[in-house]
């Protein structure tokens, strides 16, 4: 089964976000913000990102486990996971509706929308994803950072920041609905979705060809073959190279130690990351960082 056409995906994003915006305006939106505790650490069955995330739960329940918080994100509720907060997620279907959610993630000059369902392993997993190249992405991430810093317990601040956030997102989607995808579409829709999902899940150590294929509703062999034919690269190598390329960007930040960078890029252990990085770049992460400092 091929992913939904681009403009149908945009319409679904708009329909998903609008009820949350209306509840925010009415002051009736439930919001969770886990405490800033245990930052940038590895936890069992979890991971963390070095940018904030926003979760909108449409139907079903996401069970979150963070270092200082455990909560159920129910139908019609929001959660902001601040940058660096480790979290594990479990998807739970509701009696009447399948599990559905929407997640916002961020990169420099872009944000992504991830439409999720309950994966076969009981965790949320992406059905489809789209990345939008917009200059306001940095401001959007700062809104969520501010919520994590001082939005908890201050409903007026949270309401104002999230209303501004939704307004920018919906305006971006309105523009997207009138045009073409803002990211390169040089491959088939299935392979393009595969690449977008990989970018969104780089910090998740369970990302694999098998998980990608299950959630794109095809076999691992078929997905691997399509990916190689269209890109000239093996899918396993692409996942590994994307992680290592991202680690090179993170090594420019002196506030992050090698273990934090390893976990943030989905490696199970710092030692494995160091070996992989040496094979990829010809030098250790520390050597690479020292060379950057001398440049």
């Amino acid at each position: 089964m091929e992913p939904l056409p681009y403009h149908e995906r945009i319409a679904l994003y708009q329909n998903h976000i609008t009820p949350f915006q209306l509840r925010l305006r009415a002051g009736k939106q439930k919001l969770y913000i886990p405490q800033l505790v245990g930052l940038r650490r590895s936890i069992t069955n979890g991971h963390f990102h070095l940018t904030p995330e926003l979760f909108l739960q449409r139907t079903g329940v996401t069970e979150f486990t963070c270092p200082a918080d455990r909560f159920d994100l129910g139908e019609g509720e929001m959660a902001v996971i601040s940058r660096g907060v480790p979290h594990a997620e479990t998807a739970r279907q509701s009696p009447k509706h399948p599990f559905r959610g929407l997640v916002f993630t961020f990169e420099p000059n872009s944000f992504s929308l991830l439409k999720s369902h309950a994966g076969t392993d009981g965790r949320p997993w992406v059905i489809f994803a789209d990345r939008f190249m917009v200059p306001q992405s940095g401001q959007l991430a700062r809104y969520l950072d501010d919520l994590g810093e001082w939005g908890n317990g201050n409903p007026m601040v949270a309401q104002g920041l999230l209303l501004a956030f939704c307004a920018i997102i919906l305006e971006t989607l309105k523009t997207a609905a009138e045009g073409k995808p803002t990211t390169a579409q040089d491959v088939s829709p299935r392979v393009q979705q595969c690449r977008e999902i990989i970018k969104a899940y780089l910090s998740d150590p369970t990302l694999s060809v098998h998980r990608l294929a299950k959630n794109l509703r095809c076999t691992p062999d078929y997905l691997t073959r399509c990916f190689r034919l269209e890109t000239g690269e093996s899918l396993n190598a692409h996942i590994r190279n994307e992680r290592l390329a991202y680690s090179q960007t993170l090594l420019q930040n002196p506030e992050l130690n090698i273990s934090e960078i390893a976990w943030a890029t989905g490696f199970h252990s710092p030692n494995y990351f160091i070996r992989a990085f040496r094979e990829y770049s010809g030098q250790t992460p520390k050597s690479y960082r020292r060379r950057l400092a001398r440049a």
Side-chain angles (χ1 to χ4, degrees), residues 44-288:
T44 303
N45 298 322
H47 59 284
F48 65 85
H49 299 275
L50 293 172
T51 55
E53 294 180 290
L54 175 65
F55 291 78
L56 308 185
Q57 192 71 38
R58 183 69 177 270
T59 54
V61 175
T62 303
E63 301 173 4
F64 279 92
T65 301
C66 304
D69 302 270
R70 293 173 64 92
F71 61 93
D72 289 351
L73 188 68
E75 183 174 327
E77 297 178 344
M78 281 182 165
V80 172
I81 306 297
S82 301
R83 66 179 69 214
V85 173
H87 53 285
E89 304 163 44
T90 301
R92 198 168 76 224
Q93 307 276 14
S94 67
K96 295 183 179 179
H97 304 287
F99 178 100
R100 291 290 184 269
L102 189 65
V103 185
F104 298 77
T105 65
F106 299 88
E107 293 181 13
N109 302 314
S110 71
F111 70 86
S112 293
L113 293 179
L114 319 176
K115 191 79 167 66
S116 62
H117 69 161
T120 54
D121 59 356
R123 300 176 61 195
W125 189 256
V126 173
I127 307 171
F128 51 79
D130 285 281
R131 189 155 34 103
F132 301 89
M133 309 300 295
V134 293
Q136 301 98 324
S137 64
Q139 182 62 60
L140 290 168
R142 283 192 292 275
Y143 286 152
L144 299 187
D145 283 332
D146 289 344
L147 277 165
E149 287 286 343
W150 37 270
N152 235 336
N154 195 330
M156 294 299 291
V157 169
Q159 180 188 39
L161 288 170
L162 286 169
L163 280 172
F165 182 98
C166 288
I168 294 172
I169 293 290
L170 288 171
E171 186 62 30
T172 301
L173 292 175
K174 180 182 176 183
T175 301
E178 298 167 353
K180 296 180 179 179
T182 58
T183 53
Q185 303 288 310
D186 56 335
V187 293
S188 69
R190 188 187 299 277
V191 170
Q192 179 63 21
Q193 284 297 298
C194 186
R195 294 198 299 200
E196 295 298 338
I197 293 169
I198 288 167
K199 279 190 172 293
Y201 276 83
L202 284 179
S203 66
D204 190 335
T206 67
L207 173 65
S208 65
V209 173
H210 184 74
R211 284 197 77 193
L212 284 166
K214 269 196 170 185
N215 287 279
L216 287 169
R217 300 181 181 180
C218 60
T219 66
D221 286 346
Y222 176 78
L223 185 61
T224 298
R225 184 167 62 251
C226 288
F227 197 92
R228 183 183 287 278
L229 284 172
E230 295 188 41
T231 69
E233 184 180 23
S234 83
L235 185 49
N236 269 319
H238 179 77
I239 294 171
R240 184 172 180 270
N241 291 341
E242 284 289 298
R243 282 177 160 150
L244 291 165
Y246 182 38
S247 75
Q248 288 182 317
T249 299
L250 297 182
L251 283 164
Q252 298 173 36
N253 184 347
E255 295 181 2
L256 300 174
N257 63 43
I258 301 302
S259 293
E260 290 169 343
I261 291 171
W263 293 323
T265 49
F267 287 91
H268 290 280
S269 74
N271 287 338
Y272 177 46
F273 164 63
I274 291 168
R275 290 197 302 271
F277 191 91
R278 186 188 289 117
E279 292 173 6
Y280 178 76
S281 68
Q283 54 193 317
T284 66
K286 286 185 177 179
S287 298
Y288 182 83

Side-chain angles (χ1 to χ4, degrees), residues 20 23-24 27-32 72-73 76-79:
F20 289 86
R23 283 193 294 271
L24 281 166
K28 297 180 179 179
Q29 180 60 60
K30 183 68 175 290
L31 173 66
Y32 294 91
D72 289 351
L73 188 68
E77 297 178 344
M78 281 182 165

